Amino acid sequence: MSNNEEIIAHLNECLKHEWTGVAQYSQASFIVEGVWREVYADTFLENAEESFNHAKLVGNKIVALGGVPAATRNEIKQTRDLQEILQNSLEFESKAVEMYNKALELAEGNRALVVFLENILEEEQEGVDEFTKLLRNSQATSSSSIDSKTA
């Protein structure tokens, strides 16, 4: 497998992850209820939009490199429990950081591609940082989590 084929294959894995983020964060924004809806619904929707923006960037880069962008996504994690939604979000962002770090390793020697990936990686790391901070003092949310019995 040539280096271009290897980076395209990995970027397609990143793209599938971003498509998953669009669905998972959108679902979280729809499902969050009660007083926490005011606090979190827009945050989840903004994360869905960020994933979509990353998907557009990565999809276009795949085509520029001579590949065909993936049109599938991975399985999303769904729950009505706010604590779990926040934890899933942290795990999702952490996985994105891991994936873009691997893409950076594969892009070594291609400065433009490295800068492109570093910009996305920076936003993904900001997501990790934000969800880490939200979960740090999450006792308030765990006692007020969304009741899954109302579904």
Side-chain angles (χ1 to χ4, degrees), residues 1-14 65 98-111 113-114 117:
M1 185 181 287
S2 74
N3 190 42
N4 242 20
E5 289 172 347
E6 192 174 5
I7 190 72
I8 289 168
H10 187 71
L11 287 176
N12 262 317
E13 290 305 310
C14 293
L65 292 169
E98 178 185 313
M99 294 178 83
Y100 284 107
N101 272 317
K102 179 166 191 231
L104 276 164
E105 289 174 23
L106 295 172
E108 192 175 327
N110 182 338
R111 185 72 187 133
L113 185 55
V114 165
L117 292 167

Side-chain angles (χ1 to χ4, degrees), residues 14-142:
C14 293
L15 181 56
K16 289 194 311 192
H17 190 72
E18 297 295 359
W19 288 135
T20 305
V22 172
Q24 187 165 309
Y25 283 126
S26 295
Q27 179 71 353
S29 77
F30 303 150
I31 208 165
V32 67
E33 297 175 313
V35 67
W36 295 110
R37 181 167 185 77
E38 287 295 312
V39 177
Y40 290 108
D42 286 344
T43 298
F44 294 133
L45 197 52
E46 287 166 12
N47 277 279
E49 290 167 358
E50 181 180 286
S51 285
F52 183 63
N53 287 332
H54 291 170
K56 290 189 292 187
L57 290 169
V58 172
N60 280 317
K61 184 56 73 177
I62 290 167
V63 172
L65 292 169
V68 177
T72 58
R73 64 170 169 77
N74 303 316
E75 188 174 339
I76 67 168
K77 293 183 178 179
Q78 295 187 83
T79 179
R80 296 182 71 90
D81 181 272
L82 180 56
Q83 186 73 21
E84 287 180 40
I85 293 171
L86 293 171
Q87 187 61 48
N88 289 343
S89 299
L90 175 59
E91 290 169 11
F92 179 86
E93 296 294 326
S94 296
K95 176 71 174 172
V97 166
E98 178 185 313
M99 294 178 83
Y100 284 107
N101 272 317
K102 179 166 191 231
L104 276 164
E105 289 174 23
L106 295 172
E108 192 175 327
N110 182 338
R111 185 72 187 133
L113 185 55
V114 165
V115 171
F116 170 83
L117 292 167
E118 284 175 342
N119 289 332
I120 295 173
L121 176 61
E122 181 179 24
E123 290 182 356
E124 298 295 0
Q125 184 60 53
E126 287 171 3
V128 169
D129 294 348
E130 282 305 306
F131 284 111
T132 298
K133 290 186 281 187
L134 286 170
L135 283 162
R136 187 165 291 141
N137 187 13
S138 60
Q139 301 315 330
T141 59
S142 63

